[in-house]
Amino acid sequence: MSEKFIEFRRVWDKRQYRMKSPVYLACRTQYLPFTWRHDGQGPATIDVSSKNIEFVKTYGILGGLCVPIHAPRGRVGCLHFLDRKGIDLEHCLETHRSALVVAGIYLMNSCLDAAANADVTQAINHLTKREIDCVTLAGRGLTDKQIAKELRFGPGTARFHIDNVMKKLQAQTRVQAVAKAAQLGLIGPIA
């Protein structure tokens, strides 16, 4: 990476331009790829008079092609291609729109998968012995009351441990928690 780019990222992050960027704000409302130029060409939602656009101009960036990416729970990402040579971005967009959308979706899914895998890996390390015992017995079809009797505590405690496993493994249901625990090798045979 060039020194100039490293400096650009440092200043961009320090000034928190990402959250104030008119390009980023446009990504929140746009669903299809778009182009922008520091001279005002591009979607009307881009305010080229902002400090962000002035800042990128100082680094020789003439404009860019942006692919908005919308993920679950209101998360938004952007895949940017920056122009420093005066490329015909509109032509690139017309020619490669479908590929750009697919690339954006692929990138976001890869990022989400990596984050989910990291969370699950961390969760595995943090499952307690009681949580593993409870999810194993749940996998054998026992109810909270039966798990409580087997492990010698109350049904509320059994439910508490199952709920913790669901949260840690990002499972929506008890059955999904058991399935994920089995796939990860956290529980032995459940038959």
Side-chain angles (χ1 to χ4, degrees):
M1 243 184 288
S2 74
E3 295 279 329
K4 195 170 189 176
F5 179 75
I6 293 169
E7 175 64 13
F8 174 85
R9 285 299 311 209
R10 187 188 68 74
V11 174
W12 183 267
D13 292 340
K14 182 179 176 184
R15 295 182 185 171
Q16 298 182 339
Y17 274 151
R18 180 178 58 90
M19 299 307 285
K20 303 171 196 169
S21 165
V23 176
Y24 173 76
L25 296 174
C27 285
R28 296 193 67 76
T29 58
Q30 306 266 339
Y31 286 86
L32 293 175
F34 61 88
T35 61
W36 62 272
R37 300 199 78 68
H38 71 74
D39 59 8
Q41 303 296 319
T45 54
I46 305 294
D47 175 15
V48 295
S49 66
S50 78
K51 288 181 182 177
N52 303 65
I53 301 298
E54 292 300 318
F55 171 73
V56 297
K57 278 175 28 180
T58 64
Y59 283 87
I61 297 170
L62 304 173
L65 194 153
C66 182
V67 182
I69 308 165
H70 297 267
R73 290 182 257 172
R75 292 181 283 186
V76 176
C78 318
L79 177 59
H80 287 280
F81 298 92
L82 300 176
D83 174 25
R84 294 177 65 188
K85 297 181 180 182
I87 296 170
D88 184 355
L89 294 172
E90 284 298 325
H91 176 71
C92 289
L93 181 58
E94 288 174 27
T95 307
H96 303 290
R97 185 182 310 270
S98 297
L100 289 167
V101 170
V102 170
I105 292 169
Y106 181 79
L107 175 66
M108 182 61 84
N109 286 339
S110 296
C111 292
L112 292 173
D113 288 347
N117 289 340
D119 291 344
V120 169
T121 302
Q122 189 176 14
I124 291 169
N125 296 332
H126 296 335
L127 284 180
T128 66
K129 181 182 179 334
R130 280 297 188 204
E131 289 166 349
I132 292 171
D133 293 342
C134 288
V135 77
T136 300
L137 293 173
R140 293 184 184 151
L142 276 65
T143 65
D144 290 342
K145 195 172 187 177
Q146 293 167 324
I147 292 170
K149 185 176 179 185
E150 175 93 15
L151 297 176
R152 295 191 170 98
F153 49 66
T157 304
R159 183 75 215 156
F160 171 79
H161 289 306
I162 298 287
D163 285 344
N164 282 344
V165 172
M166 288 171 57
K167 287 177 194 160
K168 290 179 180 180
L169 297 182
Q170 299 174 347
Q172 301 298 316
T173 65
R174 179 185 187 108
V175 172
Q176 190 180 32
V178 170
K180 283 187 172 192
Q183 286 175 336
L184 295 167
L186 297 176
I187 60 177
I190 55 175

